[in-house]
Amino acid sequence: MASHIQSPSRDLPRPGIACTLTRVSITLLRHYFEFTAGLLCTSPSTNSPFITVVLPLAYTDELLMHTVLALSGTHLECRQSRRHAGSMAAVDPEMQHATGLHYQKIISGLRCEMVNFDTANNQKQTRILLILIMACHYEAISGDKSGMMLQHLRASRKLVRRLLIQPQGSSNIDQESLGFSLELYAYLSIVNSLASYRNTGELAQPYDTFLTSLDGLSSYSTFGSMFAGCHSLYELIPHISQLSVEYLAGEKILGDDWIPSSKLRLCYESIEHRIATWKLPSSLDSEAQYKTSDITAAAEAIRHGLYIYLTTSFYGSSRPDPIAQSQLGVEADIVLALATSVKDINIRTILLWPCIIAGSCMVHEEQQKRLISALLSSGFDMKHLFNLCEMLELMWNENDASVYGPYGLYSLMEKRNKYIPFL
């Protein structure tokens, strides 16, 4: 599990009203900086922006602090339940009640902020963006299946689009908070790529060119805390998602007569070349050097996950032929072997996406069991992880040949009217 870290309270003002809402609220704050924050990004706990950026702001911002405490509380619930074989009876009812109260404060506070929203105030927009992104984490970890996280992302997108047109270095914007929030938004939007298959309704996630070129974020001091040098790999996920959506659109119109255009094929080949030739940047920051082998393994897992995602994109809603399935199964094995070789828990934070993408193409029971075992023993006691494992098992047991691959996983979620978010 994440190592304990020093409380930052020496250098911060006394906690505000949010931390006195209940008797256990201050315990939730302690749990956040000792455990929760260390499981949310690739940076070591000692310099994680979830500590260095979020906490100082939360100490002077009651709504942000409520978000921190609710997030910590739902994580603590998961840990308590997990320790007792999933029994909710093991969860401290007082702590559970406190978490619910803090969550109510988030929702009522955001509603109030939206009523009085000032589109000309960039500083307030940056503040609300960070709160929304933190709320996304709460929704995922709490196990929400209604798509509330995607709704928060859509609301965040409006703020991101406004803030991106502001000149970098604007004096009225907290640059650290902005940079970290933008990277968090980009990361969550990208790894929740299955949502791009839905093209209508409030849970639809529009295609954003911003997500396909993340170099603009590299000037912010917190850059890399989510991507760990792999941002140019992540940029390919939205490209592949769009490719898959276009393929499915053609298939829907022409059925078996559908043949991808030369433009679509060239796009496929271009992405395939970028995946094949990608190299981890040689200039990892000095603090990450000791993790290089783990980062390399994680990057390779993502790279092979991308290959699976790309290959299945040109099968549309159909199941690949047995030869292709066999090749995809080999790729899935590679992803699993690489993912399980990563020892550093911070670096493991970026492995869920490739593991689930790989899992969607696993057809052999032994392979499936190894993946579920690896995910459940990864050190992340969070409900979205358990829900994704459950969805994979439902997928593997589905008596429908078309339920295969990333699109098959999305289709099963749609069929059951559930969306399981990724972190």
Side-chain angles (χ1 to χ4, degrees):
M1 292 298 295
S3 58
H4 289 258
I5 59 177
Q6 289 287 327
S7 165
S9 56
R10 279 187 313 156
D11 308 314
L12 295 170
R14 291 177 64 83
I17 296 170
C19 289
T20 60
L21 182 65
T22 72
R23 288 194 311 167
V24 298
S25 293
I26 197 68
T27 301
L28 299 183
L29 177 60
R30 187 177 303 113
H31 183 267
Y32 175 84
F33 60 68
E34 288 185 348
F35 293 101
T36 308
L39 296 172
L40 299 178
C41 71
T42 64
S43 301
S45 299
T46 48
N47 67 346
S48 165
F50 281 98
I51 295 290
T52 62
V53 174
V54 174
L55 270 188
L57 293 172
Y59 268 70
T60 57
D61 186 324
E62 292 296 314
L63 184 53
L64 180 56
M65 182 60 86
H66 282 300
T67 313
V68 164
L69 299 178
L71 173 58
S72 175
T74 198
H75 179 225
L76 185 52
E77 282 182 37
C78 294
R79 293 185 73 216
Q80 290 180 343
S81 170
R82 178 75 171 150
R83 284 196 215 107
H84 294 81
S87 171
M88 288 306 293
V91 177
D92 179 353
E94 186 176 13
M95 181 274 300
Q96 196 171 25
H97 179 65
T99 300
L101 289 178
H102 287 296
Y103 180 68
Q104 289 172 22
K105 292 289 186 181
I106 300 170
I107 300 304
S108 60
L110 282 172
R111 283 177 181 155
C112 183
E113 291 288 344
M114 293 308 168
V115 168
N116 302 299
F117 192 68
D118 182 359
T119 56
N121 190 322
N122 296 327
Q123 190 171 9
K124 285 190 176 180
Q125 289 186 72
T126 303
R127 168 183 174 255
I128 295 301
L129 176 60
L130 181 58
I131 291 168
L132 280 169
I133 294 296
M134 293 292 286
C136 285
H137 284 75
Y138 170 87
E139 303 297 354
I141 293 173
S142 68
D144 179 73
K145 301 176 184 178
S146 69
M148 185 63 73
M149 178 185 181
L150 297 181
Q151 292 186 43
H152 290 331
L153 277 179
R154 280 183 71 91
S156 300
R157 180 176 182 264
K158 295 177 182 178
L159 297 173
V160 167
R161 287 166 67 87
R162 291 194 188 105
L163 290 166
L164 282 175
I165 62 174
Q166 302 302 318
Q168 276 202 23
S170 297
S171 58
N172 64 336
I173 299 179
D174 182 326
Q175 294 299 308
E176 268 199 329
S177 174
L178 175 61
F180 184 50
S181 297
L182 290 175
E183 184 170 354
L184 278 176
Y185 169 79
Y187 178 80
L188 292 179
S189 297
I190 288 170
V191 297
N192 284 279
S193 57
L194 296 186
S196 63
Y197 289 122
R198 180 196 285 260
N199 53 24
T200 58
E202 61 185 7
L203 300 187
Q205 298 302 298
Y207 178 73
D208 252 325
T209 53
F210 155 63
L211 301 176
T212 63
S213 181
L214 300 172
D215 282 334
L217 299 180
S218 61
S219 61
Y220 293 104
S221 62
T222 56
F223 184 64
S225 54
M226 296 308 302
F227 295 115
C230 302
H231 65 280
S232 54
L233 277 180
Y234 282 96
E235 291 170 354
L236 297 177
I237 297 177
H239 280 298
I240 300 172
S241 297
Q242 186 66 12
L243 189 73
S244 186
V245 166
E246 290 183 32
Y247 188 98
L248 286 161
E251 179 190 71
K252 185 176 182 180
I253 296 169
L254 297 175
D256 293 339
D257 296 328
W258 162 240
I259 299 174
S261 66
S262 57
K263 181 181 177 182
L264 215 57
R265 288 188 177 280
L266 283 172
C267 182
Y268 183 104
E269 290 167 7
S270 172
I271 296 170
E272 188 175 41
H273 177 73
R274 287 178 65 181
I275 294 172
T277 58
W278 186 87
K279 300 291 184 186
L280 188 70
S282 56
S283 56
L284 291 174
D285 67 71
S286 57
E287 287 189 73
Q289 289 298 330
Y290 74 98
K291 295 181 176 180
T292 300
S293 62
D294 274 346
I295 294 174
T296 300
E300 282 297 292
I302 295 164
R303 197 169 69 83
H304 285 274
L306 280 168
Y307 178 75
I308 294 170
Y309 196 36
L310 177 64
T311 302
T312 55
S313 73
F314 260 32
Y315 283 96
S317 60
S318 303
R319 195 180 188 95
D321 59 76
I323 293 175
Q325 284 187 54
S326 178
Q327 291 170 339
L328 288 166
V330 171
E331 290 293 325
D333 262 336
I334 293 171
V335 170
L336 182 54
L338 287 164
T340 52
S341 74
V342 175
K343 304 304 179 191
D344 189 281
I345 197 161
N346 297 117
I347 303 304
R348 287 185 208 157
T349 58
I350 57 176
L351 288 171
L352 184 59
W353 182 85
C355 284
I356 299 299
I357 294 299
S360 72
C361 295
M362 290 180 175
V363 295
H364 298 298
E365 186 177 352
E366 183 57 37
Q367 190 182 37
Q368 295 166 354
K369 286 180 177 178
R370 282 190 289 114
L371 174 62
I372 296 299
S373 175
L375 289 172
L376 296 182
S377 61
S378 61
F380 296 90
D381 296 326
M382 300 176 180
K383 288 182 183 175
H384 70 290
L385 177 63
F386 309 139
N387 290 340
L388 283 167
C389 287
E390 180 183 18
M391 190 60 68
L392 279 178
E393 289 176 326
L394 288 171
M395 181 183 185
W396 295 330
N397 293 323
E398 189 78 7
N399 292 319
D400 183 346
S402 66
V403 181
Y404 176 91
Y407 182 71
L409 180 59
Y410 160 78
S411 298
L412 185 61
M413 289 186 188
E414 283 286 289
K415 178 181 175 181
R416 294 178 177 270
N417 197 28
K418 295 176 181 178
Y419 181 79
I420 315 299
F422 289 63
L423 275 188

